[in-house]
Amino acid sequence: MFGFKWPDRGFGDMNYLKSILAKTIKEDSFEALQKPLYVAVTNLNSGMIEIKSKGKLFDIIAASSSVPLLFKPIVIDGNHYLDGGIGMNLPVRCLVGKCDIIIGINLVNHQPMEDKYISSWSEVLSRTFDLSVYNNVKPELSLCDFVIEPVDIFKYNRFSLSQPEHLYKAGYEGAMQQMPALLNMIHSLEGNDEVED
């Protein structure tokens, strides 16, 4: 995925991710998706967060996955884009008024940590990144009707790329623990027999 070489604005590129998207999704277009999608990306040239929901899809997804310094920015229409999490890691406000229930999923660790979990450079980097990002997550969480926060996933740092099964299990089990409360909220909606997906 990384294809390491001498860094030029980042160590790796997103060509592998874009090839997977091309194999998985039939058309490189937001409009071709079955459901509306809103993606936050950071425009490095303007310094602004942009919410994309129309046009070419794969480059926007790649840009939203481009962690600064690790991956090169994605060039779109002459501008350089990176992960929207720099300024809006949980883009909820673009969904307000468009959904019956807004469910937010927070994977940014803001829990207290023991020294043993911040003992290497990657753990310190991951912790620093999480703390800075959480400051832009908090206001968005307040706009959610329901928040899923699988706390067991916080045992792993952001760069635990070699343990996908453990991360998947922690996320799945954390969501299932909160599922009864979410279902109760859905069933208690007044005047709605059916909730949109």
Side-chain angles (χ1 to χ4, degrees):
M1 181 173 184
F2 283 92
F4 276 116
K5 50 191 170 185
W6 187 256
D8 173 22
R9 299 182 182 174
F11 284 98
D13 57 40
M14 281 290 167
N15 290 334
Y16 178 73
L17 174 59
K18 287 194 279 187
S19 71
I20 295 297
L21 290 171
K23 290 177 183 176
T24 308
I25 301 173
K26 292 181 180 179
E27 189 174 337
D28 183 10
S29 166
F30 276 88
E31 290 79 4
L33 298 174
Q34 293 181 2
K35 295 188 181 295
L37 175 66
Y38 300 87
V39 180
V41 289
T42 301
N43 184 327
L44 286 182
N45 296 89
S46 70
M48 303 297 290
I49 302 299
E50 299 178 12
I51 303 294
K52 301 289 190 180
S53 61
K54 297 177 181 177
K56 295 283 189 178
L57 176 65
F58 299 163
D59 279 345
I60 296 299
I61 296 296
S64 75
S65 305
S66 295
V67 177
L69 301 181
L70 289 182
F71 293 101
K72 297 177 183 178
I74 304 295
V75 180
I76 304 170
D77 297 328
N79 289 309
H80 292 77
Y81 288 89
L82 283 174
D83 183 3
I86 296 168
M88 186 184 290
N89 199 62
L90 189 67
V92 174
R93 65 190 67 183
C94 55
L95 299 178
V96 174
K98 296 183 174 77
C99 306
D100 293 318
I101 295 178
I102 296 178
I103 303 168
I105 302 174
N106 177 42
L107 304 178
V108 180
N109 189 357
H110 58 97
Q111 305 294 325
M113 294 184 78
E114 300 175 23
D115 285 351
K116 64 181 180 179
Y117 294 115
I118 46 175
S119 60
S120 69
W121 74 268
S122 64
E123 289 170 339
V124 170
L125 179 61
S126 177
R127 179 63 167 169
T128 303
F129 186 80
D130 282 343
L131 293 176
S132 64
V133 167
Y134 188 67
N135 283 319
N136 72 59
V137 167
K138 284 192 291 186
E140 301 296 311
L141 285 174
S142 67
L143 299 174
C144 297
D145 299 301
F146 193 89
V147 175
I148 294 175
E149 192 171 72
V151 294
D152 282 352
I153 211 166
F154 298 155
K155 296 175 183 175
Y156 306 90
N157 78 44
R158 178 170 299 281
F159 304 105
S160 298
L161 301 178
S162 62
Q163 304 180 73
E165 295 86 2
H166 295 91
L167 291 168
Y168 174 84
K169 183 178 179 183
Y172 179 82
E173 291 179 352
M176 293 308 293
Q177 287 170 6
Q178 294 177 265
M179 197 56 61
L182 176 57
L183 291 175
N184 284 337
M185 173 182 283
I186 292 172
H187 293 314
S188 68
L189 278 178
E190 295 181 357
N192 287 325
D193 296 327
E194 186 174 337
V195 178
E196 294 180 8
D197 292 337

